[in-house]
Amino acid sequence: MNKISTLAILCTALAGGAAQASELGAQFGNEFQSAYYVPTSGGFGLTGDWLHSSRHGDDDQTAGLGLTFSLPLGSALLTAGAKAEYIDVAGHDEWALPIGGRVDLGLGNSFGVFAQAYGASGGMASGTLHSYVDSEIGARFVPIKPLALTVGYRYNRVEFDNGRDNRTLADGPYIGAALRF
């Protein structure tokens, strides 16, 4: 298959994801804030995330773009994906390619629970980055569409080869709000 055909197939798959139902939100926890964009329907989708932490007195942050594939199964949405994550932590500027997934379970029209986890080891990271983990579990309440209110627990950790600069950027509960469209 030539390069133009490959590019056309890729663009068609991504264009289908661009018209998907999605969620754009923010989370606020003790010493961390984040913003995110995730698809909320089946098929291919694009994701985005940003996390800022003042936990260690620095301006530590991560930002990522990802590609996912979601499969609806009844009231559940199962998602597998990979991201390109930029990591600016403890004076290190590194990249990681975490893989992972998300489970979103609707409990009627107004409630839902979700969990997600992404991780990368040294083989999928640049420079002195040894590992990267980002996970969360939470619940969602939709009082009026398109507003969703969330509560949950988030854990984000970055480890370096030297061990001295390891950082836990998020490890605790959060509250959040999102627009679902």
Side-chain angles (χ1 to χ4, degrees):
M1 187 179 333
N2 65 32
K3 291 180 183 178
I4 294 177
S5 297
T6 304
L7 182 60
I9 291 170
L10 182 61
C11 288
T12 302
L14 292 177
Q20 283 185 318
S22 302
E23 181 173 304
L24 177 65
Q27 300 170 340
F28 304 93
N30 184 30
E31 301 180 305
F32 73 91
Q33 310 81 41
S34 68
Y36 64 92
Y37 173 84
V38 295
T40 58
S41 61
F44 284 101
L46 299 174
T47 66
D49 63 83
W50 170 78
L51 172 71
H52 175 268
S53 174
S54 58
R55 188 178 183 115
H56 300 279
D58 293 330
D59 238 2
D60 295 333
Q61 60 187 340
T62 67
L65 291 174
L67 178 64
T68 63
F69 182 78
S70 299
L71 182 63
L73 292 173
S75 63
L77 183 66
L78 306 177
T79 303
K83 301 193 277 185
E85 196 81 20
Y86 170 70
I87 299 165
D88 178 13
V89 173
H92 298 269
D93 291 323
E94 305 287 355
W95 286 91
L97 298 173
I99 57 172
R102 180 179 178 95
V103 176
D104 203 321
L105 180 62
L107 303 172
N109 290 331
S110 297
F111 293 97
V113 293
F114 57 91
Q116 80 170 22
Y118 281 83
S121 63
M124 297 185 69
S126 69
T128 62
L129 187 61
H130 179 70
S131 67
Y132 171 79
V133 174
D134 186 22
S135 60
E136 70 178 284
I137 187 166
R140 174 184 311 103
F141 171 61
V142 180
I144 55 171
K145 291 185 179 183
L147 177 66
L149 304 175
T150 59
V151 296
Y153 193 93
R154 178 130 186 212
Y155 179 78
N156 184 294
R157 181 153 174 87
V158 178
E159 293 184 356
F160 295 94
D161 290 338
N162 66 15
R164 292 184 317 269
D165 296 329
N166 295 349
R167 299 281 172 98
T168 300
L169 304 181
D171 188 6
Y174 67 82
I175 59 171
L179 294 176
R180 295 173 66 88
F181 45 93

